[in-house]
Amino acid sequence: MRLVQKMMRATHRDLLVGSLLLAFGVVWSVTVYVTIPTDFSESVGPRAFPLALGIALVLLSGLLLISSIRNARETGEETQVEDPDAVQNERIVLKMVGAVFVTIMAYGFLMEKVGFVIATLTIVSTSMWLILGIRKPASIATMAVGITFGCWLVFGKILGAYLPPGTWLSLF
């Protein structure tokens, strides 16, 4: 009975994830195709790699959807009594996924508006405080400054990568 319950939860989860990834892959591929110009003088232009990744995401998420639909048909019973501990664990996992999603979206927004340095300091500090539950100001400050400085030094100075300056405020 427990095996059937786990399989059904996994099947529903795979259906959800597969659908979301398929939608994201289609939007990504269309956006890349429309926005990135093609240089016909080269055999592979700037559009090739992002478009290939989008197409690969669409194909793989389609395979995941097909597999989960077949799994749902094989197990048959869809109305199972769920284990309360499993439901609680699933809610915790969904909260973690939601926290990561919100963090990534906030980091992208802040990166554009205030630049790499302030965005990284803010996101690392906030993540340590809210998500990880670390409440020691010295630990938070040390980690935030260390990660920000280390990334700035390695990527911005040593490797020469472009780090966004920000449209509202820019330190570097």
Side-chain angles (χ1 to χ4, degrees), residues 84-98:
D85 292 335
V87 171
Q88 181 65 23
N89 289 340
E90 199 165 305
R91 286 184 184 144
I92 291 171
V93 169
L94 285 175
K95 285 181 184 179
M96 288 189 292
V97 169

Side-chain angles (χ1 to χ4, degrees), residues 2-79:
R2 226 170 243 256
L3 179 62
V4 171
Q5 287 175 350
K6 286 183 182 180
M7 286 179 63
M8 288 311 298
R9 280 196 304 275
T11 301
H12 291 299
R13 182 182 59 234
D14 289 347
L15 279 170
L16 176 66
V17 170
S19 301
L20 290 174
L21 288 176
L22 181 67
F24 181 76
V26 168
V27 169
W28 174 270
S29 298
V30 169
T31 303
V32 165
Y33 188 78
V34 170
T35 59
I36 299 178
T38 303
D39 187 7
F40 292 108
S41 64
E42 299 178 17
S43 60
V44 176
R47 180 192 300 173
F49 187 67
L51 188 59
L53 287 177
I55 291 169
L57 181 60
V58 167
L59 293 175
L60 292 173
S61 60
L63 287 173
L64 179 63
L65 277 173
I66 291 168
S67 171
S68 61
I69 290 170
R70 284 185 182 164
N71 252 355
R73 287 184 182 163
E74 288 175 4
T75 55
E77 299 177 39
E78 291 197 22
T79 55

